[in-house]
Amino acid sequence: MSPRMKPWIAAIHAYVPGKSRADDGRELLKLSANENPLGTSPLALAARAAAKAPSLYPDPDSAELRAAIGRVHGIDPARVVCGTGSDELLNLAAQAFAGPGDEVLFPRYSFAVYDIAARRCGAQPVEARDADYGADVDALLACVNERTRVVFIANPNNPTGSFLPAAELARLHAGLPGDVLLVIDQAYAEYVDPADDDGGLALAAAHENVLVTRTFSKIYGLAGERIGWGTGTPHLVDALNRIRGPFNVTATGQSTAAAALEDQAFVTASREHNREVRARFVAALEALGNHGLRPLPSQANFVLVLFEGALSAETALRGLAERGFAVRHLPGQGLPQGLRITIGTAEHMDVIADSLARMAEGSA
């Protein structure tokens, strides 16, 4: 006899991270995990180097970091909770408000963690149909019933890059019952032009059933530190604080993230770099439309490229690996025809676009 795993845990397909090595063990340039090609703010690196020795526990409340978040975003620090990446907070949100017999709803082609978060607490994951690989508000609302407890929406969405404007996000919230938690996952929000803000933080400030999560892993270039944060009304923050780890964010992570927030010039430079290089890359791929390559519109720091012609995603994946690049193939998320490609340097993206053109023309 051995301990028996709960059936809903046994149903989980473990998260598969982006590869950084080829099948033969060669190290590849990693454009599979949406990391910032500009690295990390010098202010953050200096704070990390000056961090205290790790013999003492970190501040369990991340008070300094929450205060810094509050200053930058105009949020009461008491309405902020910090986590081990935003992934921890997404899981805690499902755990706090859903369980066996409940449903957790999200759009098709969403972040893989939503399905895991639902199953982890014994709830049933429910996928709403998409609208050309993006979220469909009407489809989501049509799936809501008396068992729905949590709705996850990533904006911009990972892995498709799609984006719901403020009016659509507000319409989704307005259509939900008050006892259903709307979790707006804004991991890539800083890559969106500030003029196109989706209004998620304002919804979280004004309503009892909205939680917004963000991360320092993307534009801030702190993926290795694993720091995220969320904001909502006090009862939502209290719920997550009750069940999060007591020392979940390291002391180094707290001070480094607080310093990163002070360097908004680095954030702006990263956003502008991404916007310019992404536009150039997308234009190069759109010129290959007659070969069946279709880059989906993206507001994030990656582009999902669909291979709908003679060149398959699998062949392109292997070809790019041979040229030294790791990108993300997503058959486990229902996208065997897609490759998600992180926006790297201009030079790297030019090489990838040229490589895909050569492969597409050779497959014609």
Side-chain angles (χ1 to χ4, degrees):
M1 294 288 290
S2 61
R4 296 182 116 184
M5 193 185 308
K6 293 292 186 184
W8 53 84
I9 301 297
I12 291 175
H13 296 284
Y15 181 80
V16 179
K19 289 185 177 181
S20 59
R21 293 184 179 275
D23 291 340
D24 61 8
R26 287 180 299 115
E27 189 168 351
L28 303 174
L29 181 69
K30 189 180 177 187
L31 296 178
S32 58
N34 304 334
E35 295 154 330
N36 189 338
L38 302 187
T40 308
S41 156
L43 292 183
L45 291 176
R48 187 169 184 264
K52 296 177 181 179
S55 58
L56 302 177
Y57 283 108
D59 173 11
D61 297 320
S62 301
E64 178 188 349
L65 177 55
R66 290 190 297 107
I69 291 167
R71 286 193 299 271
V72 169
H73 295 284
I75 301 171
D76 179 354
R79 295 170 64 121
V80 174
V81 56
C82 294
T84 310
S86 56
D87 289 7
E88 180 189 19
L89 302 176
L90 298 172
N91 277 286
L92 292 178
Q95 183 181 347
F97 295 98
D102 296 330
E103 293 182 354
V104 172
L105 174 63
F106 45 87
R108 184 185 300 161
Y109 309 125
S110 289
F111 186 31
V113 165
Y114 304 157
D115 183 279
I116 294 171
R119 297 181 189 278
R120 186 177 177 182
C121 65
Q124 177 65 39
V126 176
E127 288 188 352
R129 64 175 170 77
D130 63 295
D132 194 23
Y133 299 94
D136 184 318
V137 170
D138 292 317
L140 283 163
L141 293 177
C143 291
V144 174
N145 58 47
E146 68 279 0
R147 295 183 299 279
T148 307
R149 298 272 61 86
V150 178
V151 176
F152 284 116
I153 185 85
N155 210 37
N157 183 51
N158 175 24
T160 67
S162 61
F163 182 73
L164 278 183
E168 281 295 276
L169 193 61
R171 187 166 75 87
L172 171 61
H173 173 259
L176 295 176
D179 62 349
V180 172
L181 176 65
L182 174 62
V183 181
I184 306 171
D185 176 0
Q186 293 187 336
Y188 300 91
E190 290 89 356
Y191 282 108
V192 178
D193 188 311
D196 296 325
D197 175 63
D198 67 8
L201 290 176
L203 286 174
H207 299 281
E208 297 283 330
N209 65 333
V210 179
L211 178 74
V212 169
T213 63
R214 289 201 179 188
T215 184
F216 286 91
S217 296
K218 306 306 179 187
I219 207 166
Y220 285 101
L222 293 175
E225 293 291 347
R226 308 305 302 127
I227 315 155
W229 62 276
T231 183
T233 51
H235 82 283
L236 296 179
V237 170
D238 175 63
L240 271 58
N241 274 326
R242 288 171 182 265
I243 55 176
R244 67 172 173 83
F247 300 100
N248 57 339
V249 182
T250 67
T252 303
Q254 291 180 36
S255 59
T256 302
L261 284 164
E262 299 303 315
D263 195 353
Q264 289 301 306
F266 177 81
V267 172
T268 300
S270 296
R271 180 169 55 246
E272 288 304 304
H273 166 88
N274 183 73
R275 180 183 60 79
E276 293 171 6
V277 176
R278 184 184 64 200
R280 178 172 165 175
F281 180 61
V282 167
L285 295 189
E286 287 177 339
L288 300 173
N290 59 326
H291 291 292
L293 273 67
R294 178 159 72 107
L296 294 181
S298 175
Q299 290 272 18
N301 68 332
F302 57 84
V303 174
L304 182 66
V305 184
L306 302 180
F307 292 79
E308 301 172 330
L311 176 63
S312 70
E314 293 91 338
T315 299
L317 180 72
R318 291 194 297 270
L320 291 176
E322 289 170 3
R323 291 162 173 83
F325 295 96
V327 298
R328 189 70 181 269
H329 190 210
L330 298 161
Q333 289 180 250
L335 292 164
Q337 79 281 28
L339 294 181
R340 193 194 67 191
I341 304 175
T342 302
I343 301 300
T345 67
E347 294 76 14
H348 292 150
M349 304 318 291
D350 286 347
V351 172
I352 290 176
D354 180 68
S355 299
L356 290 174
R358 292 173 183 273
M359 285 186 273
E361 290 162 0
S363 299

